[in-house]
Amino acid sequence: MTINQIKYVLGVADCGSLNKASEKLYISQPSLTSAVHELEYEIGFQIFSRSARGVTVTELGKPFIEDARALYENYESFVKKYTGKEKKTFGVSTLYYAFARTAFVELVKRFSPDGYDFSFREMKGKQIIDDVADGRSELGIMYLSDGNRTETQKLLEARQLIFHHLTECNAFVYLYKNHPLAEKSCISLDELSDFQFVTYDKSELAAFFSKEVLERRELTQAITVADRSTVLSLLKSLNGYTFLSGIIGEENDGEYIPIPLKNIDEDFTRTFELGYITKKAVHMNNIALTYIDNIRRILHIAGFTC
């Protein structure tokens, strides 16, 4: 068992995906998979359960991950104590937003010479809150809506986090360019009834629609996936669709298109407040401010973060 194997296992556990972990750890996926398999063989049990949706920690793996995390944190403290070097880190946890990825790539290009250890994680809303509260990321990019505002604000307050407003945005239907509805200027839920709904997280639908609408439209009968590439593949191969709660950034190349979601007779305004979360007692440093400024520029939001 090596310290690198411990690092790799923690990376997989945090990302929930071998592919995402390999990108974060700057190691090829076959090498990462081999390292994890070798460690599992050595300790005599599986740490992860693997499926098409990604990887999850097994019951035997949960206490191992806890002990491994404590061990790795002690190792980093040991290195710092005897070398006098503290590794500079910066992490972002975000919903599946193209503009957040674009802003992060620009940040890495600018600050890589300074020796930062970067991390970028795309995940669900509750996981973003946990990441920032537990110190795995300095920033979390997410939204508030009529449907999730009360519950989300309670979670933020309980974890000593604060939501910073960036801009208002609307709901979109996201389709492949050759979808039968791709030429429409806006799309209603009725028009989507004959097509397959694809999502990262069914629970996020509560931010878009009331419980009555969800049950009536059978939106809970969805294909749930773990990563963006699978979503895009299903949108293309099945004429599927998904909902976006934000703004399309510069990464959109025309292959997949956003179309406004038509309002229906319900209490939800379908307007989203895009923003970022930080710890209440922590002041944002220069690299964090630069990242938010990158987002403001990409989305053409006026103002400064400082």
Side-chain angles (χ1 to χ4, degrees):
M1 186 183 302
T2 68
I3 196 66
N4 272 339
Q5 286 176 315
I6 296 296
K7 177 182 178 180
Y8 295 158
V9 165
L10 292 176
V12 174
D14 289 340
C15 294
S17 161
L18 286 164
N19 183 47
K20 291 179 181 179
S22 68
E23 294 177 359
K24 171 188 170 184
L25 297 167
Y26 302 102
I27 181 177
S28 69
Q29 185 169 330
S31 296
L32 176 60
T33 301
S34 177
V36 172
H37 281 161
E38 288 174 4
L39 180 56
E40 289 177 325
Y41 178 79
E42 182 178 350
I43 62 179
F45 59 84
Q46 279 193 315
I47 303 171
F48 300 109
S49 175
R50 299 158 179 83
S51 70
R53 296 180 179 179
V55 297
T56 55
V57 181
T58 64
E59 288 302 314
L60 287 175
K62 289 178 180 178
F64 180 88
I65 292 296
E66 292 178 5
D67 290 342
R69 196 177 300 283
L71 173 63
Y72 194 75
E73 289 173 355
N74 287 335
Y75 165 75
E76 290 189 320
S77 297
F78 177 82
V79 171
K80 176 185 174 183
K81 179 178 179 179
Y82 288 100
T83 65
K85 296 179 181 179
E86 182 176 6
K87 182 180 289 186
K88 294 185 291 185
T89 63
F90 180 75
V92 174
S93 296
T94 176
L95 296 172
Y96 300 84
Y97 288 139
F99 66 80
R101 291 190 296 274
T102 301
F104 189 78
V105 170
E106 293 181 0
L107 189 81
V108 171
K109 289 179 179 178
R110 175 173 174 179
F111 286 92
S112 283
D114 296 340
Y116 275 89
D117 186 359
F118 293 100
S119 64
F120 183 81
R121 290 184 282 275
E122 293 180 309
M123 51 185 53
K124 303 172 185 177
K126 175 62 168 59
Q127 293 172 316
I128 293 171
I129 292 174
D130 290 340
D131 257 20
V132 177
D134 296 337
R136 286 185 289 273
S137 289
E138 281 70 27
L139 294 175
I141 309 298
M142 56 189 301
Y143 65 83
L144 298 178
S145 73
D146 287 354
N148 75 353
R149 187 179 303 273
T150 300
E151 180 181 356
T152 301
Q153 287 181 329
K154 287 181 179 178
L155 286 173
L156 294 175
E157 185 66 28
R159 301 303 304 272
Q160 296 295 300
L161 302 175
I162 185 170
F163 181 89
H164 307 266
H165 173 86
L166 280 172
T167 189
E168 299 290 332
C169 50
N170 297 313
F172 296 91
V173 181
Y174 203 47
L175 309 166
Y176 182 59
K177 64 180 181 180
N178 292 332
H179 192 283
L181 302 177
E183 299 299 322
K184 298 186 69 67
S185 59
C186 61
I187 298 176
S188 69
L189 287 180
D190 286 335
E191 292 172 305
L192 294 168
S193 61
D194 292 332
F195 303 99
Q196 181 66 59
F197 174 47
V198 184
T199 183
Y200 298 107
D201 182 9
K202 292 179 184 178
S203 65
E204 292 286 335
L205 287 173
F208 285 82
F209 310 107
S210 65
K211 181 179 179 181
E212 291 73 23
V213 169
L214 291 176
E215 292 176 348
R216 187 168 70 248
R217 308 285 175 160
E218 297 184 338
L219 290 175
T220 53
Q221 298 179 13
I223 299 176
T224 305
V225 301
D227 60 89
R228 180 173 178 268
S229 62
T230 305
V231 168
L232 297 180
S233 177
L234 291 173
L235 297 190
K236 182 176 181 178
S237 61
L238 298 181
N239 272 336
Y241 69 93
T242 191
F243 297 116
L244 292 181
S245 53
I247 303 170
I248 307 303
E250 295 175 348
E251 282 188 18
N252 186 39
D253 58 4
E255 284 288 297
Y256 299 86
I257 57 175
I259 300 177
L261 180 61
K262 186 183 297 183
N263 285 328
I264 56 178
D265 186 19
E266 56 168 317
D267 294 331
F268 286 65
T269 62
R270 208 72 56 73
T271 299
F272 297 84
E273 181 183 3
L274 181 69
Y276 59 97
I277 60 173
T278 62
K279 289 185 177 181
K280 281 186 176 181
V282 175
H283 293 287
M284 293 174 63
N285 57 21
N286 181 54
I287 190 170
L289 292 172
T290 301
Y291 179 69
I292 295 302
D293 280 336
N294 286 350
I295 288 179
R296 288 182 178 277
R297 178 177 45 76
I298 291 168
L299 299 183
H300 308 291
I301 302 171
F304 299 92
T305 58
C306 53

